[in-house]
Amino acid sequence: MRVRLPLAAGLLLGACLCAAGPARADYVLLRNGSRLNVTGYEILGDKFRLHLQGGIADVPVEEIASIEPEEIFEPSTEPLSEKTPYQKLILAAAARYHLDPDLIHSVIAIESNFNPKAISPKNARGLMQLMPHTAERMGVKDSFDPEQNIEGGARYLRDLLAKYKNNLTLALAAYNAGPESVDKYGRRVPPYLETMKYVQRITKTYAKLKAEATGPGSGQPLPNAGS
């Protein structure tokens, strides 16, 4: 499938112009502000051939602004325990919003690897990577404060699970891509590689934690994972 992109998208190439074949790239930022998650790219003369989920797109070099690596954290798969960073905050937020602590644990592990000062290229912040507008809506004044961030992230996750009738797959997709995107595609996971990978990684981590948990957070059933 050939994907036709709107004209206007650009790049600061730097050393990557020297690439001579398929290479790995996680994000391509276009001059029109679009941000594409790609599995790789090739340089073909004055064009970049971007490898997208389900197809390719040929984009003129001058339309590309930058190529950025995707931040991927290797999650902790240790069950929630006293050794888990911010365990007490996770348990408190889970109890307040009737969530499984292991779910909050999984989201934090994938989103920031427990780094309270993490900032994504999209400006998501803190342990649960809250976008500024989401943080404001959830009453979070300081996204870098672990207690506020976990509180806001747990509340947002609770709201999404309620919106999608406890469907974990859709709630996680909405947490990553926004509920507008999930609703736009008929309440299905949006066809964005980043979002599909995100949902897969968290559900896999969550299932592993639930299977191995022997301490706090092991007693609640998993939300419905159907789509």
Side-chain angles (χ1 to χ4, degrees):
M1 178 181 78
R2 180 63 55 84
V3 180
R4 181 177 293 277
L5 294 176
L7 209 58
L11 249 184
L12 206 103
L13 303 174
C16 65
L17 277 173
C18 298
R24 174 153 182 101
D26 288 300
Y27 287 111
V28 170
L29 179 65
L30 305 179
R31 292 205 182 280
N32 65 359
S34 298
R35 199 160 178 267
L36 305 177
N37 189 284
V38 300
T39 58
Y41 66 89
E42 300 171 71
I43 299 175
L44 305 175
D46 61 351
K47 293 181 180 180
F48 266 54
R49 175 159 290 176
L50 306 179
H51 295 254
L52 309 170
Q53 181 71 14
I56 61 173
D58 289 342
V59 182
V61 167
E62 66 271 14
E63 292 187 0
I64 299 180
S66 65
I67 296 177
E68 304 171 352
E70 180 181 15
E71 286 187 291
I72 296 181
F73 298 108
E74 288 304 319
S76 166
T77 53
E78 294 296 322
L80 190 66
S81 70
E82 292 181 355
K83 296 181 181 179
T84 304
Y86 311 107
Q87 183 224 26
K88 291 182 179 179
L89 297 180
I90 292 171
L91 292 174
R96 185 172 298 112
Y97 295 110
H98 307 288
L99 294 173
D100 187 340
D102 284 323
L103 178 57
I104 299 175
H105 178 189
S106 300
V107 172
I108 293 174
I110 295 296
E111 287 283 7
S112 69
N113 198 26
F114 292 91
N115 177 7
K117 302 300 183 183
I119 303 177
S120 80
K122 295 181 181 178
N123 201 28
R125 302 175 178 185
L127 291 168
M128 296 187 73
Q129 290 290 273
L130 300 177
M131 295 295 289
H133 59 86
T134 301
E136 183 178 4
R137 199 163 71 249
M138 295 297 111
V140 176
K141 297 185 182 302
D142 181 3
S143 290
F144 299 118
D145 177 83
E147 183 173 7
Q148 290 187 45
N149 191 284
I150 292 174
E151 173 82 12
R155 179 183 170 189
Y156 186 45
L157 192 55
R158 186 277 314 268
D159 290 352
L160 292 173
L161 282 165
K163 175 179 174 67
Y164 296 110
K165 302 185 186 304
N166 211 39
N167 186 310
L168 179 59
T169 297
L170 295 184
L172 291 175
Y175 195 97
N176 177 262
E180 300 82 5
S181 295
V182 173
D183 295 344
K184 174 183 176 182
Y185 288 96
R187 291 204 164 202
R188 295 180 179 276
V189 177
Y192 310 147
L193 181 59
E194 175 190 358
T195 301
M196 291 186 286
K197 286 164 56 179
Y198 176 86
V199 171
Q200 183 181 47
R201 293 184 76 222
I202 288 189
T203 53
K204 181 179 179 180
T205 300
Y206 181 37
K208 183 174 177 61
L209 287 174
K210 294 306 296 176
E212 297 182 356
T214 56
S218 62
Q220 296 188 34
L222 278 67
N224 171 25
S227 56

